[in-house]
Amino acid sequence: MKITNDIFYVGVNDHELDLFEGQYVVPNGMAYNSYVIMDEKIAVMDTVDVRFGDEWLANLHAVLGDRSPDFLVVQHMEPDHSANITAFMQAYPSATVVASERAFVIMKQFFGKDYPERRIVVKNGDTLSLGRHDLTFLSAPMVHWPEVIVTYDACDKVLFSADAFGKFGALDVEEDWACEARRYYFGIVGKYGAQAKRLLDAAANLEIERICPLHGPVLSENLAYYLGLYQTWTSYGVESEGVVIAYTSVYGNTKRAVELLADELRRGGCPKVTVNDLARCDMAEAVEDAFRYGRIVLATTTYNGEIFPFMRTFLHELTERNFQGRKVGIIENGSWAPMAAKEIRATLASCKNLTFTDTTVTIRSAMTEENRAQIASLANEICNG
Ligand code: FEO
């Protein structure tokens, strides 16, 4: 697949994977992207997952013909991209690896080799000339590992963005970009918003016509849309108006309260109400919703003196990703000693700029008329307050 006159796609699609990075469901598979820049010298941008080494080398050979690549640029050492470095270096014994100093340390840890005689160590701002194409390397630590570099090709105005602007989903499946890019971003990079924002700020000084990420499609049209979403995501801003309700329920009483709240919100004209049953939904979807909307209601039972397990996990997923700047309402249920609301507030105490509603609903086993009135006022506060 031709990206520009000189840049070719040589990546692969994975439809066999059960869990990406050991935890994320990928119903539409996954793409491991790799690119070749053909010039007086030839650079290959990253490798692919270990299970696709032969397919990738065949893709590479189809583009190279009888030429041999000069450089393998390793932007990220996570094995979904680095697993075939050894195979490449054996196949092309005259090639040199280009990577950050930290990447070579991790390379040795994973593969036992760091190619002291066949390597170029690059740091932020270093360049590598292929002929017409001058590559500039920008360090992007923690987007998504510490060794990451991204690469700008001034000739074709291409940003090779590593994991940034990636998404779940193989490239032979049509699907909405934002949905799976958002789940990917908040799941995988979400903790490192400040570092991802720094990369965006650096990229703002570059003239970019195409973004070539390590997962997901090459972005070449309407770049302002993608960059705008990344501005919102990396700064933990609110992307969509609406309320997300995240809940757990053991015997259905907390669920009934959630359903009543959702009805009240819709009746009150709330633009969008999203409900996630944390015991049954994809947790990564619930996490992306929490970061997408500006208002959230947490509804859960007290359990072993604190919070029901799935809610406890969910809250941890939020706090470790720097959840902030949201309005929060709470519905708790407890038959003899309700503790969940107190525990939720304590768990979220480290989050910046959270506003809690005045109304907290406490159910003791099953909803009372008083609870129904409280839920109506919670709906009004969370939607209109
Ligand atoms: Fe796609 Fe962080 O590896």
Side-chain angles (χ1 to χ4, degrees):
M1 183 167 64
K2 202 167 181 170
I3 310 286
T4 69
N5 276 341
D6 296 333
I7 300 177
F8 297 82
Y9 181 83
V10 290
V12 298
N13 288 318
D14 182 355
H15 286 287
E16 296 156 14
L17 190 66
D18 60 344
L19 293 174
F20 179 68
E21 292 190 1
Q23 60 173 318
Y24 298 102
V25 294
V26 281
N28 287 333
M30 200 67 202
Y32 312 111
N33 297 341
S34 169
Y35 307 90
V36 183
I37 307 170
M38 299 290 283
D39 200 339
E40 289 163 32
K41 302 222 172 207
I42 297 173
V44 177
M45 307 300 291
D46 297 289
T47 84
V48 299
D49 186 85
V50 68
R51 290 168 295 121
F52 296 88
D54 291 345
E55 183 181 339
W56 172 67
L57 286 171
N59 289 350
L60 198 51
H61 182 69
V63 171
L64 295 172
D66 56 6
R67 293 188 67 189
S68 212
D70 298 277
F71 304 108
L72 173 64
V73 178
V74 174
Q75 301 186 105
H76 183 14
M77 271 306 300
E78 194 160 15
D80 51 332
H81 310 294
S82 69
N84 285 289
I85 292 174
T86 309
F88 176 92
M89 295 301 272
Q90 279 168 358
Y92 298 106
S94 60
T96 300
V97 193
V98 180
S100 67
E101 191 164 15
R102 193 80 185 262
F104 284 107
V105 172
I106 298 174
M107 201 178 297
K108 185 146 193 184
Q109 290 170 190
F110 270 116
F111 308 118
K113 298 192 189 78
D114 60 0
Y115 302 99
E117 315 296 328
R118 297 173 64 190
R119 73 181 189 187
I120 297 175
V121 181
V122 292
K123 57 185 187 325
N124 190 47
D126 283 357
T127 59
L128 177 71
S129 182
L130 305 178
R132 296 180 300 286
H133 296 261
D134 289 332
L135 305 183
T136 303
F137 303 106
L138 304 172
S139 65
M142 304 321 294
V143 188
H144 132 244
W145 279 14
E147 83 297 356
V148 171
I149 53 171
V150 302
T151 307
Y152 179 64
D153 170 21
C155 176
D156 283 348
K157 301 184 173 57
V158 171
L159 179 68
F160 296 92
S161 62
D163 274 346
F165 298 95
K167 69 181 271 298
F168 298 120
L171 298 189
D172 53 2
V173 180
E174 285 273 327
E175 64 179 357
D176 178 60
W177 185 85
C179 182
E180 285 296 69
R182 187 190 304 105
R183 188 168 70 97
Y184 175 91
Y185 173 80
F186 283 110
I188 289 171
V189 192
K191 178 177 174 61
Y192 303 107
Q195 290 87 339
K197 180 91 168 54
R198 269 200 284 283
L199 172 61
L200 274 193
D201 292 344
N205 300 318
L206 305 171
E207 199 181 337
I208 298 171
E209 289 182 358
R210 281 181 184 75
I211 297 174
C212 291
L214 287 177
H215 304 287
V218 171
L219 307 175
S220 57
E221 283 168 18
N222 200 11
L223 288 190
Y225 167 73
Y226 303 106
L227 290 163
L229 282 177
Y230 254 68
Q231 281 291 353
T232 302
W233 297 346
T234 57
S235 55
Y236 302 95
V238 174
E239 180 188 339
S240 305
E241 281 303 320
V243 177
V244 58
I245 308 172
Y247 79 97
T248 64
S249 186
V250 184
Y251 292 107
N253 288 297
T254 310
K255 182 177 181 179
R256 274 188 278 285
V258 163
E259 287 167 349
L260 177 63
L261 175 68
D263 287 346
E264 293 282 358
L265 287 167
R266 291 187 187 108
R267 222 187 339 264
C270 188
K272 171 89 180 162
V273 181
T274 298
V275 180
N276 289 317
D277 174 352
L278 297 175
R280 293 175 177 82
C281 71
D282 169 14
M283 187 64 81
E285 287 277 357
V287 169
E288 73 158 288
D289 282 341
F291 285 96
R292 177 176 185 174
Y293 298 102
R295 295 143 200 263
I296 186 165
V297 176
L298 304 163
T300 193
T301 43
T302 301
Y303 190 82
N304 284 341
E306 46 140 290
I307 316 169
F308 198 71
F310 297 96
M311 179 62 79
R312 198 171 52 212
T313 302
F314 178 63
L315 294 177
H316 183 67
E317 298 269 352
L318 299 188
T319 54
E320 72 175 356
R321 288 170 175 76
N322 299 318
F323 188 66
Q324 58 185 268
R326 263 60 183 169
K327 185 158 197 179
V328 182
I330 300 173
I331 299 174
E332 66 173 347
N333 197 343
S335 292
W336 65 93
M339 293 290 292
K342 183 169 167 246
E343 292 293 324
I344 288 173
R345 279 201 198 85
T347 306
L348 296 179
S350 61
C351 299
K352 287 191 290 186
N353 301 326
L354 296 187
T355 314
F356 289 89
T357 56
D358 293 335
T359 308
T360 294
V361 180
T362 298
I363 300 167
R364 286 179 172 270
S365 306
M367 267 191 297
T368 60
E369 279 313 306
E370 190 188 356
N371 289 146
R372 290 174 182 280
Q374 290 168 337
I375 286 169
S377 85
L378 175 61
N380 185 41
E381 243 192 284
I382 199 91
C383 196
N384 305 316

